[in-house]
């Protein structure tokens, strides 16, 4: 599934109308939504079954959430700069977005370390396993987002991103905001249901 | 920063004429890594046919075991090696492996990829008036992911420990614990890997189909003028897009349970007297996830077949399809309802009886749109000038199976009755008629109907008739008796019944079913000959052999990549103007404007024709 994101980023991708590409991205997003809807429903079903381990969500997850929101802000700033044709700013913006995202990766890792120190393991009661699966799978999708960023970055180097050619960066921004929203959903879901 | 140094390359926006710059391609890109939707469709078809032969062959072998339990199967040893013991007995675990592979192959590789992959790919651009799919590259990937998935599944059948053996529904804990049965080891792992590629293929294909239908319709092709085939493929793709990700979720947790030791689906299990560490999981959770995907999946299988049937029946009854809007409405209703009935597969899991009655109610509602469709087919046939082409016969056969199999769905949908019938041969009879045979007939109808367009040649009608009658009668002879066997209590997925006295009176019936199955399977070779021989040797096809209205028949006999040599045709009317009162011919193609058909226009259409003329 990860591959589709890469394909959209592929320049050889031939579509007759620009809209079709964006539309396809939205369909891809719908399918990711269904994936997580399935997983979070599984969580609820499992929880209602009993034998459920209670534990505190590490605070680090809250901090990482804030950081991910920051990366979305950076992404949006980049997008606006592309509209203004400030390519230098675009390059800086993309780099910043990616850097913040990598910080997010690290913070998720720290959250896992914290969970382990609380005796909540991937292998064990499903209530803990689910946290690892949700956050891990979200990160997997974020890797797709990073690849997309890289492609847009290369495009910018080749002067292919500017006010008259916004498609790639627009789609990248959409996907990026989606990933941010997805994590916020997962985080709130976990906090409220745990 | 100045804009002047930025080159505006608008390379993403291609005009209509972009495909006409035709250059000779090498064999590899023309036939193997092609991005032409027509070639990809044929690749799906041929791969599907390969799987159908294999899946059918497996069923004949396990039917032999069921029908003639004392038989000496030594003659199969050259093919099956150690799975046949030296005394000529089939290995009981391999029996389970075969039914699992049969189910997986038929549901996923033949009736999902083989059916949607072939006809969605082939017909969406041709019937909508598009040069190709929205993304040829994604389409190419879709096929090759399917190919890879096929290859992996095929290889898994040759493992010394056998392929996956826990049934096509791969319920844990059986599928989750390698020590549970030999097929749950490497075989199950490969099953899962294969399915990952399969799902990727389906999603890529589906995103493409939906995008194409939304974005690339030719001028005049409004949603209300779309052939029902396209409506069916479109909604099928939406169902796939919404349900396959849930299968990913389901399988992902299974992979973690298998390979990393988590306990999503496992709890308190003892194997050989020893307790496993897993605590806190629930196998029922798997069933919820699986069937949330699984029920839409059965409609993913049948809807394209119903779409094909609509087209074939209308064309060959020389009548407009009865209730075009109702047909669209029922497709939409079925699609919606299919997401809220999954628990009818789980009535005996100990669910709250109150919940059970809700799901029973929702399940029975599905019978309404299904019945609307059946009713509309019959009323379309009613008093039509029926032309019995092989495709038409297979479509009528589909309607017959859909009705007789759908009726047993009503029994199963009642929780109180299902508690008796669940996991018996009654269920097997139900879904082989309503899904298996009906969708298979849809596939065959599609092949017979569009073969002239696909290969530019005709199939032999006489062989088609023989094929039809043997298969049609054969299917009923195979599956009808299974209802009785099921009511008598035969559980499905059992290697042998000879130990149960209660079943001894059914031995003859079981042998009868097996003989019928062999004949039905044999009849498919008539089709295979007819198909492959006529690709090369068939009589050349006329441009519009069935006097049909849809756009694919306006292309040259063998369309190039890009489909129409000149401009893409425009569409002026719906696709079902057959035998219109006043018209000179009994069909008016979609490309004929209203102002050329004054003699048959309705008042409303005369208004339209004025608009057409003022527009030009
Ligand atoms: C009138 C509408 C239908 C109703 C009320 C209905 C009801 C049911 C019920 C209650 C079961 C579960 C039986 C059991 O396991 O105990 C079932 C099984 C099944 N149905 Fe239907 N059904 C209907 C139509 C269809 C259609 C149209 C298809 C496919 C195109 C289909 C495919 C299947 C399959 C594949 C299974 C068995 C799955 C398995 O356990 O392997 N059904 N049906
Ligand atoms: Cu169902």
């Amino acid at each position: 599934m990860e591959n589709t994101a890469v394909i959209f980023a592929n320049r050889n991708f031939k579509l007759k109308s620009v809209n079709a590409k964006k539309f396809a991205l939205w369909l891809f997003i719908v399918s990711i939504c269904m994936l997580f809807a399935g997983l979070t429903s599984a969580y609820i079903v499992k929880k209602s079954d009993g034998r459920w381990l209670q534990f505190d969500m590490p605070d680090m997850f809250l901090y990482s959430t804030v950081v991910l929101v920051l990366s979305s802000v950076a992404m949006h700033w980049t997008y606006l700069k592309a509209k203004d044709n400030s390519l230098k700013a675009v390059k800086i913006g993309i780099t910043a977005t990616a850097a913040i995202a990598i910080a997010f990766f690290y913070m998720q890792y720290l959250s896992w370390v914290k969970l382990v120190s609380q005796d909540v393991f991937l292998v064990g009661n499903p209530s803990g396993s689910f946290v690892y699966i949700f956050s891990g799978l979200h990160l997997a999708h974020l890797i797709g987002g990073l690849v997309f960023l890289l492609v847009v970055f290369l495009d910018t180097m080749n002067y292919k991103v500017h006010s008259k050619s916004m498609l790639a960066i627009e789609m990248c921004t959409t996907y990026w905001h989606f990933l941010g929203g997805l994590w916020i959903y997962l985080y709130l879901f976990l906090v409220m249901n745990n | 920063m100045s804009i002047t140094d930025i080159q505006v390359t608008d390379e993403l926006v291609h005009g209509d004429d972009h495909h006409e710059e035709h250059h000779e391609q090498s064999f590899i890109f023309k036939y193997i890594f092609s991005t032409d939707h027509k070639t990809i469709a044929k690749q799906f078809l041929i791969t599907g046919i390969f799987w159908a032969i294999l899946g059918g062959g497996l069923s004949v072998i396990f039917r032999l075991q069921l029908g003639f339990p004392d038989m000496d199967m030594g003659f199969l040893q050259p093919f099956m090696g150690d799975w046949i013991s030296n005394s000529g007995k089939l290995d009981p675990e391999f029996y389970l492996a075969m039914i699992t592979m049969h189910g997986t192959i038929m549901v996923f590789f033949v009736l999902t990829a083989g059916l949607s992959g072939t006809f969605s790919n082939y017909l969406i651009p041709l019937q909508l008036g598009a040069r190709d799919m929205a993304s040829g590259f994604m389409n190419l990937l879709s096929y090759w992911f399917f190919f890879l998935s096929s290859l992996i599944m095929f290889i898994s059948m040759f493992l010394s420990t056998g392929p996956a053996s826990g049934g096509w529904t791969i319920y844990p804990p059986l599928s989750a614990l390698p020590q549970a049965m030999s097929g749950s080891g490497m075989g199950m792992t490969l099953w899962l890997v294969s399915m990952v590629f399969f799902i990727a293929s389906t999603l890529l294909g589906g995103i493409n189909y939906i995008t194409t239908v939304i974005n690339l319709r030719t001028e005049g092709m409004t949603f209300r003028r779309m052939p029902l085939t396209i409506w069916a493929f479109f909604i099928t793709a939406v169902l796939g897009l919404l349900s396959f990700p849930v299968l990913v979720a389901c399988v992902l947790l299974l992979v973690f349970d298998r390979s990393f030791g988590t306990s999503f689906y496992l709890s308190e299990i003892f194997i050989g007297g020893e307790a496993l560490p897993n605590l806190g999981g629930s196998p029922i959770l798997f069933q919820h996830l699986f069937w949330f995907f699984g029920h839409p999946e059965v409609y993913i299988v049948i809807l394209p077949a119903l779409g094909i049937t609509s087209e074939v029946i209308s064309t060959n009854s020389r009548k407009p399809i009865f209730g075009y809007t109702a047909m669209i409405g029922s497709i939409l209703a079925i699609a919606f309802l299919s997401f809220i009935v999954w628990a009818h597969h789980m009535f005996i899991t100990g669910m709250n009886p109150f919940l059970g009655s809700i799901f029973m109610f929702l399940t029975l509602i599905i019978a309404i749109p299904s019945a609307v469709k059946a009713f509309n087919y019959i009323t379309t046939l009613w008093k039509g000038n029926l032309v019995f082409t092989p495709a038409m016969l297979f479509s009528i056969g589909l309607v017959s199976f859909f009705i007789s199999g759908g009726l047993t769905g009503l029994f199963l949908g009642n929780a109180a009755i299902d508690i008796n019938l669940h996991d018996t041969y009654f269920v097997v009879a139900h879904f082989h008629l309503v899904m298996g045979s009906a969708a298979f007939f849809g596939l065959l109808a599609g092949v017979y109907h569009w073969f002239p367009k696909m290969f530019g040649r005709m199939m032999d009608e006489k062989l088609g008739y023989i094929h039809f009658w043997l298969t049609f009668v054969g299917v009923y002879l195979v599956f009808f008796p299974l209802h009785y066997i099921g009511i008598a209590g035969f559980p499905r997925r059992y290697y042998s019944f000879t130990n149960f006295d209660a079943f001894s009176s059914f031995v003859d019936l079981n042998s009868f079913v097996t003989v019928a199955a062999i004949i039905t399977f044999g009849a498919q070779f008539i089709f295979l000959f007819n198909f492959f021989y006529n690709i090369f040797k068939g009589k050349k096809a006329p441009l519009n052999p069935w006097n049909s209205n849809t756009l694919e028949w306006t292309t040259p006999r063998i369309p190039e990549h890009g489909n129409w040599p000149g401009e893409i045709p425009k569409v002026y009317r719906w696709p079902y103007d057959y035998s219109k009162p006043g018209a000179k011919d009994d069909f008016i193609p979609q490309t004929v404007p209203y102002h050329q058909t004054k003699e048959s226009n309705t008042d409303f259409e005369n208004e339209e024709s004025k608009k057409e003329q003022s527009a030009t």
Side-chain angles (χ1 to χ4, degrees):
Chain A
M1 278 193 43
E2 219 45 63
N3 290 312
T4 16
V6 182
I7 297 151
F8 289 138
N10 190 320
R11 305 293 298 183
N12 298 329
F13 182 72
K14 279 192 188 148
L15 280 186
K16 272 206 272 183
S17 85
V18 177
N19 273 335
K21 257 186 158 179
K22 268 196 216 163
F23 188 79
L25 175 66
W26 279 107
L27 293 179
F28 179 57
I29 288 177
V30 167
S31 77
I32 301 176
C33 286
M34 284 309 293
L35 171 62
F36 282 94
L39 285 170
T40 45
S41 316
Y43 184 101
I44 294 171
V45 171
K46 188 74 236 15
K47 188 181 169 198
S48 68
D49 223 35
R51 288 176 299 182
W52 190 252
L53 179 75
Q54 301 279 345
F55 58 89
D56 291 326
M57 283 282 280
D59 290 341
M60 191 48 101
F61 273 131
L62 177 62
Y63 308 143
S64 71
T65 309
V66 174
V67 166
L68 194 61
V69 171
L70 280 181
S71 89
S72 251
V73 174
M75 185 72 230
H76 210 77
W77 180 81
T78 316
Y79 167 73
L80 294 177
K81 286 294 154 193
K83 259 188 171 164
D84 284 352
N85 290 315
S86 338
L87 292 202
K88 210 172 195 175
V90 171
K91 282 180 223 163
I92 295 173
I94 292 178
T95 317
T97 311
I100 304 175
I102 289 167
F104 174 79
F105 266 80
Y106 185 63
M107 293 171 87
Q108 296 296 75
Y109 169 74
L110 290 182
S111 313
W112 291 347
V113 172
K114 183 75 184 37
L115 279 174
V116 170
S117 74
Q118 292 175 350
D119 279 348
V120 177
F121 303 104
L122 169 66
V123 175
N125 191 290
S127 84
S129 316
F130 270 120
V131 179
Y132 287 94
I133 298 275
F134 289 178
S135 49
L137 202 59
H138 174 260
L139 287 184
H141 284 87
L142 208 61
I143 293 178
L146 283 175
V147 173
F148 204 163
L149 270 182
L150 180 69
V151 172
V152 176
F153 188 79
L154 294 177
D155 279 359
T156 317
M157 303 275 278
N158 294 326
Y159 304 105
K160 282 191 196 151
V161 174
H162 50 79
S163 61
K164 293 219 175 70
S165 162
M166 291 290 288
L167 180 70
I169 195 163
E170 229 172 275
M171 284 172 51
C172 187
T173 312
T174 307
Y175 187 56
W176 200 262
H177 290 333
F178 164 70
L179 290 178
L182 177 64
W183 173 249
I184 293 175
Y185 162 69
L186 292 174
Y187 176 69
L188 292 179
F189 178 90
L190 286 171
V191 169
M192 293 202 288
N193 281 297
N194 196 14
Chain B
M1 177 177 235
S2 75
I3 319 184
T4 41
D5 59 357
I6 294 172
Q7 254 190 316
V8 181
T9 46
D10 232 354
E11 53 179 2
L12 286 170
V13 188
H14 289 273
D16 258 351
D17 46 4
H18 125 88
H19 276 292
E20 278 165 47
E21 15 154 311
H22 188 78
H23 28 122
E24 280 309 307
Q25 294 160 307
S26 67
F27 179 83
I28 290 196
F29 287 99
K30 195 155 176 201
Y31 295 107
I32 300 181
F33 295 109
S34 167
T35 56
D36 184 345
H37 70 102
K38 298 186 291 302
T39 309
I40 294 175
K42 288 176 205 167
Q43 290 172 325
F44 269 108
L45 180 60
I46 303 283
T47 318
I49 289 178
F50 165 80
W51 277 119
I53 299 169
L54 196 64
L58 288 174
S59 72
V60 167
I61 299 174
F62 61 69
R63 258 326 312 175
L64 282 177
Q65 162 63 30
L66 291 169
F68 304 98
D70 300 326
M71 183 175 161
D72 179 0
M73 294 203 205
F75 68 97
L76 286 170
Q77 236 173 6
F79 310 104
M80 298 177 53
D82 288 347
W83 298 118
I84 306 277
S85 73
N86 283 334
S87 52
K89 287 273 159 267
L90 179 67
D91 183 85
E93 284 219 0
F94 199 67
Y95 172 84
L96 298 174
M98 285 199 297
I99 56 158
T100 303
M101 281 300 115
H102 168 75
T104 306
I105 289 170
M106 290 305 193
V107 173
F108 293 112
F109 293 172
V110 179
L111 296 179
T112 304
L115 183 58
S116 275
T118 305
F119 290 101
S120 298
N121 262 317
Y122 197 73
L123 293 177
I124 289 178
L126 279 174
Q127 291 198 332
L128 288 181
R131 299 253 178 235
D132 202 330
M133 281 289 173
S135 164
F137 178 64
M138 257 166 80
N139 216 8
L140 171 107
L141 273 187
S142 163
Y143 175 74
W144 287 102
F145 275 155
F146 171 51
F147 185 84
L148 192 61
S149 151
S150 294
L151 198 66
I152 294 169
M153 194 64 82
F154 188 69
I155 289 172
S156 85
M157 307 216 308
F158 296 95
L159 293 173
S160 64
T161 49
S165 312
W168 78 277
T169 52
I170 55 157
Y171 282 0
L174 194 53
S175 64
L177 301 168
Q179 59 277 49
M181 68 196 302
S182 68
S184 291
M186 194 58 191
M188 192 62 217
T189 305
L190 289 187
W191 192 97
L192 292 166
V193 175
S194 165
M195 280 322 278
V196 167
F197 288 109
F198 185 84
I199 296 169
S201 155
T202 314
L203 288 176
L204 284 168
I207 289 180
N208 225 342
Y209 305 150
I210 300 173
T211 314
T212 311
V213 172
I214 301 272
N215 285 286
L216 298 184
R217 279 165 293 130
T218 183
E219 211 180 316
M221 180 62 83
T222 58
F223 277 101
R224 304 265 316 149
R225 285 180 184 162
M226 263 180 7
L228 287 171
T229 32
I230 306 297
W231 267 105
F233 301 149
F234 175 51
I235 301 301
T236 303
V238 173
L239 282 182
L241 190 76
L242 296 177
S243 67
F244 271 100
V246 179
L247 180 63
V248 176
C250 170
V251 163
L252 184 81
L253 300 184
L254 182 61
V255 168
F256 271 88
D257 276 6
R258 284 173 57 80
S259 309
F260 300 95
T262 54
S263 315
F264 291 109
Y265 303 136
L266 302 173
S267 193
E268 292 147 1
I269 296 171
F270 291 82
I271 289 195
E274 235 178 287
L276 298 184
N278 308 73
L279 273 181
S282 145
I284 308 252
L285 174 62
F286 177 93
Q287 296 194 23
H288 278 294
L289 287 171
F290 184 86
W291 287 113
F292 186 86
F293 149 79
H295 191 83
E297 164 65 17
V298 304
Y299 282 96
I300 290 174
V301 165
I302 197 69
L303 282 181
L306 293 176
I308 289 171
T309 299
S310 307
E311 181 66 26
V312 172
I313 284 192
S314 175
T315 305
N316 290 302
S317 303
R318 313 309 295 161
K319 268 178 70 185
I321 189 83
F322 185 90
Y324 175 77
T325 312
M327 287 302 232
I328 297 171
S330 58
I331 295 178
L332 292 172
I334 287 176
F336 171 72
L337 289 169
S338 72
F339 281 104
I340 47 174
V341 299
W342 76 92
H344 65 216
H345 296 275
M346 302 168 59
F347 283 141
I348 62 149
T349 53
M351 63 161 57
N352 183 330
F354 176 67
L355 203 61
S357 56
I358 292 179
F359 276 105
M360 179 169 122
F361 175 69
L362 293 170
T363 298
L364 295 181
I365 293 181
I366 286 211
I368 299 171
S370 307
V372 167
K373 296 201 80 92
F375 175 76
N376 284 358
Y377 291 133
I378 294 169
T379 33
T380 306
L381 290 165
W382 185 253
K383 294 194 171 164
N385 286 325
L386 305 188
V387 185
F388 290 108
T389 62
M392 176 71 159
L393 290 174
F394 277 99
S395 297
I396 297 173
L398 179 154
V399 175
S400 164
F401 295 150
F402 191 65
I403 294 173
S404 45
L407 283 177
T408 52
L410 298 177
F411 294 74
L412 294 171
N414 282 282
I417 305 179
D418 184 61
I419 287 169
N420 280 296
L421 293 177
H422 177 71
D423 259 351
T424 66
Y425 271 85
F426 193 86
V427 177
V428 176
H430 160 66
F431 71 77
H432 275 91
L433 283 176
V434 75
M435 177 177 84
S437 305
F440 184 58
F441 267 41
L443 181 86
L444 288 170
V447 173
Y448 277 107
H449 194 77
W450 280 286
F451 187 91
K453 191 78 259 161
M454 286 185 169
F455 301 102
R457 292 174 188 275
M458 302 299 284
M459 285 175 85
D460 187 85
E461 291 216 325
K462 288 225 177 57
L463 289 179
Y465 296 140
I466 300 172
H467 174 217
F468 169 77
W469 284 109
L470 286 175
T471 315
F472 181 71
V473 175
V475 162
Y476 270 125
L477 292 184
V478 172
F479 295 115
F480 214 82
L482 294 190
H483 293 106
Y484 300 111
I485 297 178
I487 293 170
F490 270 69
R492 65 195 280 208
R493 296 173 174 158
Y494 271 38
Y495 171 71
S496 129
F497 297 94
T498 40
N499 294 340
F500 306 97
D501 282 340
F503 296 144
S504 53
S505 59
F506 287 95
V507 172
D508 291 344
L509 197 55
N510 259 323
S511 314
F512 173 81
V513 168
T514 299
V515 172
I518 294 171
I519 295 173
T520 315
F521 181 67
Q524 305 318 304
F525 289 91
I526 302 173
F527 168 77
L528 289 177
F529 170 76
N530 198 352
F531 181 84
F532 286 107
Y533 180 82
N534 287 314
I535 288 180
F536 305 102
K537 293 280 156 76
K539 183 161 111 256
K540 287 211 170 130
L543 286 182
N544 189 356
W546 322 118
N547 294 336
S548 193
N549 287 341
T550 37
L551 288 181
E552 73 272 27
W553 306 107
T554 62
T555 57
R557 188 174 74 96
I558 297 178
E560 293 281 341
H561 194 178
N563 298 340
W564 286 270
E567 264 179 52
I568 296 182
K570 282 188 196 134
V571 164
Y572 297 94
R573 57 178 75 233
W574 78 328
Y576 299 109
D577 270 342
Y578 291 108
S579 304
K580 203 172 179 190
K584 2 185 222 314
D585 292 321
D586 71 346
F587 68 111
I588 312 176
Q590 286 190 279
T591 48
V592 177
Y594 286 127
H595 63 80
Q596 289 176 12
T597 55
K598 289 264 157 50
E599 65 287 356
S600 63
N601 283 355
T602 61
D603 293 345
F604 171 75
E605 288 165 351
N606 276 325
E607 288 302 309
E608 293 284 296
S609 104
K610 277 185 207 137
K611 274 189 233 154
E612 277 168 11
Q613 275 170 321
S614 58
T616 46

